[in-house]
Amino acid sequence: MKIRVHNQETGPKISKYIYGQFSEHLGRGVYGGIYVGRNSDIPNVRGLRLDVIQALRKIHVPVLRWPGGLFADTYHWRDGIGPLDQRKKIVNTNWGGVTESNHFGTHEYFDFLNQIGAEAYISVNIGSGTVQEMRDWTEYMTMPADSPMANLRRKNGHDKPWRVKFMGIGNEPWGSGGNMRPEYYSDLFRQYQTFLPQYDKDHLIKKVACGPNEDDYNWTDKVMNIAGDYLDGLSLHYYTLPTGDWDHKKGASTGFPTSEWYSAMEHAKLMDRLITKHAQIMDKYDPQKRVSLIVDEWGEWHDVEPGTNPGFLYQQNSLRDVLSAAITLNIFHKHADRVRMAEIAQMINVLQSMLLTKDDQMVRTPTYWLFDMYQKHMDAQLVNFDTSLPHNVTGTASQKNGQLTISLGNYDLTQDQQLEFTFDTAPQKIVSTQIITGDKMDAHNTFDRPNTVTLKDYRGSQLENGLLKVTLPAKSVVSITLE
Ligand code: AHR
């Protein structure tokens, strides 16, 4: 099959924020995953795991959503500031009923962001919090002048304000975040955003409203209609369940049947329809596309690993996660004119993670390697193909800094694919070709065998007289960079 790459036309920019992450006070996402405390034997910088920081710096995480999720609507920021031994202990009623020490709070979050080089995306508590609480927290974080909250921040050891790039007002208000109707939430959003203080006029905090759950198009319509003029972003939550069944069995992370490989791919592909339809509704109210669609929770959600706390959402991560994430990221690229941020759930030890930790050990998951591979698409201009790709193949192309990158995933479990590409402007050479694959569909990394699935150089591409030939092995993602 021959595919033409229209690399002379410039598409929209694929925002780097599409590669954002989410970390909630859930299971071992924060405690054990990010934060171990200064007195830990695990190497750390001010309590933050060094191995984790080093791994995340390499993939240039652009933004980190925190502190939830459901947890956000029970989080009171004052519990997480001041001397550690005086911080209030609470029970995390959302996730496992465990004690939350509040040792990871606002200062630790910004320290972590600073160490990994990411920007802040704060979720504000509207479930059990107040407008005043949001106002005070924002003043605490971002006020440069002499003010009560800024002075409290100084007393706690941080003189300069931090920068908050994005702020989400609530979390899933259509469900556990308040069981609200869209009309009520929209009015609440209008109220909260009115009192959100903006002290840095050159860097206004971008206001994100809670958007729909999956295919709730009525929600999008109502929020855009009632609050559309007041928001910068509207969120969407959609998880990929291999079985599609929330109530009984979502499906195992490894040792799953072939049918659950393919159904996971089909469920991942649904993201395209969801974005298309929500974007059409947004176009009605915002034809200039001022408001971003922000997919701030996505990823594969499986049954927890046997023997682990069901409230901790700890799951393994395999080659299947790589292929389904490639499908999803390629869909985000396709909709780059509207989708300008996304956060995979979640960063460490929870759902579809980048990293897994056990005591002092850390392993990079197959999904981590996909995020590493796809860095070449961050902030690159989208490039289109002239035709659809074969069934079971997902692909995307973009260019930046004079280089063109084509990334292709073949989720057929047995058939390789031979693809040929021609170009509007022929590249002169292949700069690199990389592959992520494995010998089994559930190939994954463990603490004993951490390098079963990684990013490797690959020799399956040739460029001759402007024709690029690619051999795409079964169950693999291949990325070719040309110039
Ligand atoms: O990511 C886990 C949970 O899924 C989040 O807390 C919630 O927002 C969603 O339902």
Side-chain angles (χ1 to χ4, degrees), residues 247-350:
D247 300 326
H248 303 99
K249 252 194 124 356
K250 300 178 181 80
S253 296
T254 55
F256 47 81
T258 303
S259 59
E260 288 182 18
W261 166 281
Y262 285 111
S263 59
M265 301 307 150
E266 292 309 316
H267 286 126
K269 287 197 303 195
L270 279 180
M271 183 70 90
D272 194 16
R273 195 167 79 208
L274 295 175
I275 293 174
T276 303
K277 290 187 153 198
H278 287 297
Q280 276 166 3
I281 297 167
M282 294 174 78
D283 284 350
K284 202 166 84 177
Y285 299 100
D286 174 34
Q288 306 301 323
K289 300 188 194 296
R290 186 190 63 80
V291 178
S292 303
L293 184 60
I294 293 173
V295 190
D296 63 12
E297 288 190 30
W298 70 275
E300 287 223 21
W301 191 320
H302 306 150
D303 296 329
V304 298
E305 289 305 306
T308 64
N309 186 330
F312 282 14
L313 308 186
Y314 178 74
Q315 65 188 44
Q316 248 299 355
N317 188 298
S318 76
L319 190 55
R320 180 178 62 178
D321 297 66
V322 172
L323 269 297
S324 67
I327 289 172
T328 307
L329 292 169
N330 296 347
I331 292 169
F332 293 161
H333 291 187
K334 177 180 160 191
H335 294 280
D337 61 340
R338 183 62 91 171
V339 179
R340 303 196 191 93
M341 183 156 82
E343 278 77 20
I344 190 168
Q346 297 191 8
M347 186 182 245
I348 308 168
N349 292 333
V350 177

Side-chain angles (χ1 to χ4, degrees), residues 450-466:
N451 298 317
T452 305
V453 183
T454 59
L455 182 59
K456 297 198 170 86
D457 288 335
Y458 175 57
R459 290 170 172 268
S461 68
Q462 294 93 40
L463 182 69
E464 269 173 39
N465 302 324

Side-chain angles (χ1 to χ4, degrees), residues 102-113:
N102 274 308
H103 283 188
F104 188 89
T106 304
H107 291 249
E108 291 74 21
Y109 169 64
F110 280 101
D111 192 5
F112 184 59
L113 290 184

Side-chain angles (χ1 to χ4, degrees), residues 22 24 26 69-70 95 171-172 239 297 301 313 346 351:
F22 168 38
E24 177 169 11
L26 192 178
L70 297 185
W95 303 113
N171 176 71
E172 300 191 346
Y239 285 98
E297 288 190 30
W301 191 320
L313 308 186
Q346 297 191 8
L351 300 176

Side-chain angles (χ1 to χ4, degrees), residues 446-480:
T446 63
F447 297 102
D448 296 331
R449 305 190 62 187
N451 298 317
T452 305
V453 183
T454 59
L455 182 59
K456 297 198 170 86
D457 288 335
Y458 175 57
R459 290 170 172 268
S461 68
Q462 294 93 40
L463 182 69
E464 269 173 39
N465 302 324
L467 181 72
L468 174 71
K469 293 185 182 173
V470 183
T471 302
L472 200 52
K475 50 178 168 35
S476 72
V477 179
V478 169
S479 185
I480 309 116

